[in-house]
Amino acid sequence: GAERVVIGDKRHYAALKEALADTAVEVMAGGDAIVDVARDSRCDTVVNALVGYSGLHPTYAAIEAGKRIALANKETLVVGGDVIMSHAKARGVSIMPIDSEHSAIFQCLVGEHEQEVEKIILTASGGPFRNYSLDQLRHVKAADALKHPTWKMGAKITIDSASLMNKGFEVIEAKWLFGLRPDQIDVVIHPQSIIHSMVQFRDSSIKAQMGLPDMRLPIQYALTYPTRVQASFERLDFAKCTSLTFEQPDTTRFRNLALAFDALNKGGNMPCVLNAANEVVVAAYLNDQIGFLEMSDVIEQVMSRMAFISQPTYEDYVACDREARILTTEFLR
């Protein structure tokens, strides 16, 4: 069983402590405690599945302590990919992806030479609003998105998936994880979510990693690599799965994907700005304070207004995140 449990929100500390009163589990609370537990000498692998910017500091601290990282928190690399990856390299720390798409790419790359990769192709389900017109998208509410995710996940990620911002974040994350140029990353809509992503090599060969949508597989793979452990997960049955389809993402309807590529191409602190603005507009959308399409409008305005820093330090990211949130909140008023 668990030795220590940490809750980020201190307001819930008493309730958690009480719930675990008859166990030997040590209970802690607050952001500093999360960072402390990521450094704990009793663990060798840190799985980071936090949502949003809050994942950056614990990842940085775990790398500093020389831990192996299994990363499901994509915002860590969106916000500070250059700082995190150079820090990991300097400390000799490996970062294993848990996102199904990045796990798929990692699996396709095992045994291959990096210089032979021509490009990677990230697949996206397209979300619940894939076939909606611009006019329909104007009126969709958060409740509509929360009804039908392909993957079961929290509210924030479900909205990001519906708006394709999740895919935009994965594009930025892939650049850092696999050392790619922006022009080496493609996105294709694949509604069945059977192919989890692909790698195209310089000889034109394409490798795909397939399976049923089940997060247990990428989690297990990240924790047991380089071994594949026998699992009882359901197998893909081609008698039932008779068609796989693909289409191009539409960035006129789903502008977040274009904004993410803009941030990636510009580099520096722009992905950090993109993430901070997105966290604020998604929270507003979940509270019905803003429309679906307006989320992209606000993010774009914030990106155009924030001062550009070409080579940010860790401290720059912290300040930039804070400023971008304030600016986004002002735009929402």
Side-chain angles (χ1 to χ4, degrees):
E3 288 177 30
R4 294 173 77 181
V5 172
V6 183
I7 188 161
D9 189 338
K10 288 182 177 173
R11 291 172 302 180
H12 301 298
Y13 173 74
L16 180 65
K17 181 98 175 135
E18 198 178 318
L20 295 171
D22 57 349
T23 69
V25 176
E26 189 185 341
V27 180
M28 301 161 77
D32 292 344
I34 290 176
V35 171
D36 287 342
V37 87
R39 289 196 190 107
D40 195 312
S41 61
R42 286 171 288 181
C43 74
D44 51 17
T45 300
V46 171
V47 177
N48 184 346
L50 292 164
V51 175
Y53 172 83
S54 63
L56 181 68
H57 193 183
T59 304
Y60 194 81
I63 292 170
E64 214 155 32
K67 309 294 185 195
R68 182 171 177 270
I69 313 284
L71 193 64
N73 168 249
K74 51 179 70 79
E75 291 89 349
T76 285
L77 292 180
V78 170
V79 171
D82 50 352
V83 167
I84 291 292
M85 293 311 284
S86 57
H87 192 39
K89 195 175 174 185
R91 294 285 292 121
V93 164
S94 65
I95 298 181
M96 285 293 297
I98 287 182
D99 260 341
S100 66
E101 294 82 357
H102 301 96
S103 174
I105 291 158
F106 189 91
Q107 291 180 59
C108 291
L109 289 175
V110 170
E112 299 284 356
H113 295 293
E114 272 172 36
Q115 67 271 24
E116 288 170 357
V117 175
E118 195 164 78
K119 68 175 180 180
I120 64 164
I121 302 146
L122 294 169
T123 54
S125 72
F129 309 140
R130 179 170 61 94
N131 296 320
Y132 283 33
S133 67
L134 269 173
D135 198 49
Q136 284 174 301
L137 288 175
R138 227 165 249 126
H139 303 107
V140 290
K141 293 272 181 270
D144 304 321
L146 297 174
K147 268 182 260 171
H148 314 288
T150 309
W151 302 82
K152 290 206 173 3
M153 49 209 167
K156 197 249 175 197
I157 303 176
T158 303
I159 301 303
D160 284 345
S161 297
S163 73
L164 289 197
M165 184 56 94
N166 192 51
K167 209 48 54 179
F169 285 165
E170 287 173 6
V171 166
I172 298 170
E173 190 184 358
K175 178 217 186 305
W176 295 114
L177 276 173
F178 305 112
L180 301 164
R181 300 185 313 272
D183 61 282
Q184 288 179 291
I185 310 169
D186 276 356
V187 173
V188 68
I189 305 293
H190 167 54
Q192 297 81 17
S193 298
I194 296 296
I195 291 181
H196 300 143
S197 278
M198 299 172 263
V199 177
Q200 180 174 306
F201 298 93
R202 63 183 179 184
D203 61 359
S204 83
S205 175
I206 295 178
K207 273 189 184 179
Q209 189 266 330
M210 303 168 74
L212 292 165
D214 184 341
M215 278 309 297
R216 291 175 302 171
L217 173 61
I219 294 166
Q220 175 174 292
Y221 187 81
L223 293 177
T224 62
Y225 176 82
T227 313
R228 284 192 184 271
V229 175
Q230 181 67 35
S232 59
F233 312 151
E234 194 186 339
R235 286 0 188 199
L236 176 61
D237 179 355
F238 285 102
K240 292 181 196 151
C241 167
T242 55
S243 109
L244 300 179
T245 61
F246 307 93
E247 58 201 60
Q248 289 303 300
D250 179 352
T251 50
T252 53
R253 285 181 303 138
F254 298 96
R255 282 177 44 226
N256 281 350
L257 188 57
L259 291 172
F261 270 106
D262 287 348
L264 179 59
N265 283 307
K266 201 156 183 193
N269 64 329
M270 275 303 128
C272 176
V273 174
L274 175 87
N275 177 69
N278 182 65
E279 285 193 34
V280 175
V281 297
V282 169
Y285 182 64
L286 284 166
N287 286 326
D288 291 326
Q289 294 163 338
I290 183 176
F292 186 80
L293 295 176
E294 287 167 326
M295 289 194 286
S296 305
D297 297 337
V298 174
I299 294 166
E300 187 170 39
Q301 285 174 303
V302 173
M303 283 171 69
S304 67
R305 287 277 299 280
M306 282 286 291
F308 178 64
I309 306 169
S310 63
Q311 290 183 306
T313 61
Y314 183 88
E315 290 70 28
D316 288 331
Y317 286 128
V318 175
C320 172
D321 175 77
R322 192 170 53 236
E323 284 168 40
R325 284 169 198 271
I326 293 166
L327 186 59
T328 311
T329 308
E330 282 169 15
F331 273 120
L332 289 174
R333 287 208 180 104

